[in-house]
């Protein structure tokens, strides 16, 4: 393959990954792989003397896709050149002194103060144009709203959510599938909210890393003095140490030790010249300023041998491969296993037992396989499920191969049934994780759904389980007892009937006036009389209630439950028969759940995707190029904003 063709391949991969990261807040390849491909592209560009116009080495970020107001930066916000070698930092610094600080992993923000007041906050955006988030910045947890300096001041910094707050928020959510994936994504979504009340609840913090030109102040040409002055105004500035070329390695080692317990998300360090004039005299390249450089943690790798692949059944029926290898030390801990994600990854690596493999920790945390040096490709795919012995099947969806268990009654799937039953929108049993359910199922304490309400008979055994004790047991019993009086719609939803989500359960319960016996005895035709309930859901309901085993489970459950008496909805059902889809950020409603509840209260139904049956798509950005907007326009479905919606329901 010639060099230019390879460059085009690399550019396509890197740009796709960059778009996913900056626009969609998700990672489709690891940092390790991205840096490896980026470095390969840079080397080829240097070798060939050719830089293509679409290369990520000369472009910063992507176009913005939100309804926030846009604003151009007074000067471009460039990326930093980077290295993973501390010796390169020493060579870069030369005989100068520098400041070595954390490179925080959040959302870059530019704050502007005039006459002591915060007047503007703009995100980095694509480096040239950002989004105005002033109202949200005013509710950051640690930001000065008023400062003593009365001139014009520009502070650049990083908005982040500390790990301690991130973990606490996830603990409150409970449902694993609904939890936030990482602090960076949560922070980005929080800062770019259209409702500042939501931002305030997320406890976003701001840490400054640079200060613009300041009139009538003397900093003796020292960046350190400038940062100290800003800190004196009340800003939390990014932690740094002063270094020279002799002690950079020592300082990097100290930061690396500290990151193990550091509460702020960080993906490396930044080294900047303390001599401001010297740094400015170096100018900049098309993409990088020359007064500072980023240091990214070099992913520590280790060579080892693959011992086996463990096939791990999940609650969804997927059977996920996990690599088990000879233990190695990485980032100060011993690791011996790493997820392989799916069969496609396994095949791409051409894995075989005994192969020599290279492993690393992505972001110094998650063990991953970097490469397979042997590539024997002799690994068999199991034909039987490890959990139940049922037949397995390889599924191929969009080029991604996965292994699934075909047994409807697989024990691994039973965990899914219980997990759904106790989830927040179902029976809402707080503090009962999937891990705990799995242990209780393995011990035989939970066989059928009604066993949940007799767990007190296994007090001693549960208290002896890992992660439990007297207090945990008492809390669990309290949560179970509190769940004994559900709303009927939540109970119907908890049963896990195919295609019956909470919205459909509410429609059904409303139609049958919350009479469970009437619902159990209803025919398919009676269900389809309900607007928005079709034959598929009707057949699923009838099939569920007429299956003898389900009927027995239901009868036993009813011995333990007392349903809340629902007040008949007195509001005019002006949205009856209407199907609505919600997308994008909200301003008048706190979140989508709040808007969804309002729609259901007025007789409407909320679904997750646009189809011919959709009556309205609610999106405050009517001109968005999102897939939902495109689909709505193709089908001539009205796209309305919140103001339009409020006007409709207030007629």
């Amino acid at each position: 393959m010639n060099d230019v063709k390879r460059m085009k391949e690399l550019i396509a991969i890197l740009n796709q990954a960059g778009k996913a990261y900056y626009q969609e807040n998700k990672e489709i390849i690891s940092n390790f792989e991205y840096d490896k491909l980026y470095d390969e592209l840079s080397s080829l560009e240097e070798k060939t003397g050719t830089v293509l116009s679409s290369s990520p080495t000369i472009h910063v970020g992507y176009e913005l896709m939100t309804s926030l107001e846009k604003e151009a930066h007074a000067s471009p916000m460039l990326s930093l050149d980077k290295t993973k070698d501390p010796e390169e930092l020493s060579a870069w610094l030369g005989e100068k002194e520098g400041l070595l600080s954390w490179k925080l992993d959040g959302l870059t923000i530019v704050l502007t103060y005039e006459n002591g007041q915060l007047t503007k906050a703009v995100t980095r955006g694509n480096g040239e144009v950002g989004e105005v988030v002033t109202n949200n910045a005013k509710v950051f947890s640690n930001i000065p709203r008023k400062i003593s300096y009365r001139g014009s001041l520009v502070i650049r910094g990083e908005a982040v959510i500390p790990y301690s707050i991130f973990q606490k928020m996830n603990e409150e959510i409970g449902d694993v599938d609904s939890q936030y994936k990482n602090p960076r994504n949560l922070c980005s979504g929080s800062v770019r909210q259209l409702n500042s009340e939501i931002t305030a609840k997320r406890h976003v913090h701001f840490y400054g890393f640079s200060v613009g030109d300041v009139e009538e102040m003397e900093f003796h040409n020292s960046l350190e003095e400038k940062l100290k002055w800003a800190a004196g105004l009340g800003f939390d500035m990014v932690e740094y140490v002063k270094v020279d070329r002799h002690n950079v390695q020592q300082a990097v080692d100290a930061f690396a030790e500290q990151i193990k317990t550091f509460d702020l998300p960080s993906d490396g360090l930044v080294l900047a010249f303390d001599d401001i004039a010297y740094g400015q005299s170096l100018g900049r390249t098309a993409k990088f300023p020359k007064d500072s450089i980023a240091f990214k943690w070099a992913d520590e790798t280790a060579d080892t041998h693959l011992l086996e692949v463990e096939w791990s059944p999940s609650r969804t029926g997927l059977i996920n491969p996990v690599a088990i290898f000879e233990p190695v030390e990485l980032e100060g801990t011993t690791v011996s296993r790493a997820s392989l994600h799916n069969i496609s990854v396994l095949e791409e690596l051409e894995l075989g037992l005994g192969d020599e493999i290279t492993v690393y920790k992505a972001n110094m945390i998650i063990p991953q396989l970097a490469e397979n040096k042997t590539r024997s490709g002799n690994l068999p795919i199991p034909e039987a499920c490890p959990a139940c012995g049922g037949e397995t099947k390889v599924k191929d969806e969009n080029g991604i191969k996965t292994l699934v268990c075909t047994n409807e009654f697989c024990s691994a799937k039973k965990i899914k049934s219980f997990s759904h039953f106790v989830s927040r929108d179902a029976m809402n049993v707080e503090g009962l994780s999937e891990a705990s359910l799995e242990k209780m199922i393995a011990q035989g304490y939970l066989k059928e759904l009604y066993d949940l309400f007799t767990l007190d008979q296994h007090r001693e055994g549960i208290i002896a389980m890992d992660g439990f004790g007297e207090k945990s047991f008492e809390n669990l019993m309290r949560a179970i007892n509190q769940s004994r009086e559900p709303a009927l719609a939540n109970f119907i939803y908890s049963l896990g009937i195919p295609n019956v989500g909470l919205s459909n359960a509410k429609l059904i319960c409303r139609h049958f006036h919350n009479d469970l016996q009437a619902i159990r005895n209803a025919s398919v035709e009676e269900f389809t009389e309900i607007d928005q309930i079709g034959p598929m859901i009707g057949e699923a309901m009838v099939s569920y209630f007429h299956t003898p085993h389900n009927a027995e489970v239901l009868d036993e459950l009813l011995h333990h439950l007392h349903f809340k008496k629902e007040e008949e909805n007195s509001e005019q059902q002006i949205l009856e028969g209407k199907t609505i889809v919600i997308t994008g950020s909200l301003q008048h409603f706190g979140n989508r759940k709040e808007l969804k509840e309002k729609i259901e209260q007025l007789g409407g139904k909320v679904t997750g995707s646009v189809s011919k049956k959709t009556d309205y798509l609610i999106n405050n950005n009517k001109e968005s190029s999102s897939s939902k907007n495109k689909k709505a326009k193709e089908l001539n479905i009205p796209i309305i904003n919140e103001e339009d919606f409020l006007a409709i329901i207030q007629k």
Side-chain angles (χ1 to χ4, degrees), residues 488-490 492-493 499-515 519 526-534 537 541 568-569 573 575-580 596 599-607:
L488 182 59
N490 296 89
I492 296 291
Y493 169 67
N499 300 308
V500 181
L502 185 56
S503 296
N504 286 330
K506 288 179 178 178
L507 288 174
I508 291 167
C509 290
R510 189 184 305 139
H511 178 81
F512 287 99
H513 305 288
N514 290 297
D515 185 340
I519 293 172
E526 286 176 290
F527 282 114
T528 55
E529 286 174 7
I530 306 171
D531 202 4
Q532 304 174 60
I533 300 295
I537 294 176
M541 291 289 290
E568 287 289 332
N569 192 350
Q573 301 294 282
L575 295 179
E576 189 166 359
K578 301 294 183 186
T579 299
I580 298 172
K596 180 182 177 184
I599 292 168
E600 291 173 345
Q601 195 176 27
L602 298 173
K605 178 184 177 183
V606 176
T607 60

Side-chain angles (χ1 to χ4, degrees), residues 136 139-141 161 165-166 168-169 172 180 186 190-191 193 195-205 589-591 594:
N136 291 345
V139 297
F140 288 176
S141 295
I161 292 178
I165 293 172
F166 172 76
K168 184 178 179 183
M169 292 175 69
E172 291 171 355
Y180 302 111
L186 176 59
S190 302
V191 173
Q193 280 283 338
N195 184 343
S196 59
E197 182 181 357
I198 296 172
T199 306
K201 291 176 180 177
R202 303 279 175 82
H203 303 287
V204 178
H205 288 62
F589 292 86
N591 51 46
E594 188 179 312

Side-chain angles (χ1 to χ4, degrees), residues 531-567:
D531 202 4
Q532 304 174 60
I533 300 295
M536 186 182 295
I537 294 176
E539 288 167 6
M541 291 289 290
V542 171
S543 173
Y544 182 89
F545 288 116
H546 286 74
T547 299
H549 175 261
N550 293 341
E552 291 171 13
V553 171
L554 187 57
D555 287 338
E556 188 62 34
L557 277 170
L558 295 179
H559 291 311
H560 302 280
L561 303 175
H562 177 71
F563 298 115
K564 288 179 186 172
K565 186 172 181 181
E566 297 286 320
E567 296 289 331

Side-chain angles (χ1 to χ4, degrees), residues 94-115:
E95 297 305 315
K96 294 288 185 180
E97 289 187 314
L99 304 184
L100 186 67
S101 63
W102 290 111
K103 183 175 180 292
L104 299 182
D105 189 19
L107 190 68
T108 304
I109 303 285
V110 183
L111 303 180
T112 301
Y113 287 77
E114 300 285 353
N115 196 31

Side-chain angles (χ1 to χ4, degrees), residues 453-479:
F453 299 100
T454 56
L455 276 179
D456 56 346
Q457 298 174 5
H458 306 286
R459 177 189 180 93
E460 297 306 318
I462 293 173
I463 288 174
M465 282 169 40
D466 284 346
F468 268 83
E470 290 278 356
K471 187 175 181 181
S472 298
F473 179 81
E474 295 302 330
N475 289 339
L476 175 59
M477 290 302 106
R478 189 179 305 112

Side-chain angles (χ1 to χ4, degrees), residues 383-391 405 407:
E383 296 179 356
C385 172
C388 69
E391 185 181 350
C405 174
N407 177 15

